[in-house]
Amino acid sequence: MVQRQPRIAGENRIFPYNSKSVGTSFTRACSALGIEDLCFHDLRHEATSRLFEEGYDIPEVAAVTLHTSWNELKRYTQLRPESLHRQPQ
């Protein structure tokens, strides 16, 4: 998927889209699908929690989510007690 992205001269980003365009497109898609009360930022919150549930530690999650401190990161993390008990691998 990454290799199929069109390249723009002088642009280093893989997905060179304006963040406002992405948010607008997400809002339109939710509206078209009849999804209410969901914002793009909710996905970041969900992804953060899922990474912790999968066993990633704080520095690993922060590297993905780009949070700069634990205080900032924990605001977006709501772990379910049942997800904290992992089976030995």
Side-chain angles (χ1 to χ4, degrees):
M1 184 168 127
V2 169
Q3 292 174 342
R4 291 189 309 234
Q5 291 302 308
R7 299 289 181 199
I8 298 172
E11 179 62 63
N12 292 328
R13 295 179 292 172
I14 295 170
F15 301 103
Y17 298 101
N18 182 311
S19 62
K20 291 180 181 177
S21 299
V22 172
T24 299
S25 295
F26 181 82
T27 301
R28 285 185 189 142
C30 286
S31 180
L33 295 169
I35 299 171
E36 298 177 9
D37 195 31
L38 180 65
C39 67
F40 192 72
H41 193 77
D42 294 339
L43 302 178
R44 184 181 196 202
H45 179 102
E46 180 65 18
T48 301
S49 296
R50 294 287 176 110
L51 289 169
F52 279 118
E53 289 170 3
E54 289 297 316
Y56 289 88
D57 62 21
I58 294 168
E60 292 170 323
V61 174
V64 172
T65 64
L66 303 179
H67 288 100
T68 57
S69 71
W70 169 236
N71 282 335
E72 189 177 292
L73 181 57
K74 70 182 176 183
R75 292 186 313 188
Y76 299 101
T77 307
Q78 294 179 348
L79 301 176
R80 294 185 293 269
E82 66 272 13
S83 70
L84 298 176
H85 177 73
R86 288 183 272 151
Q87 298 295 322
Q89 296 182 10

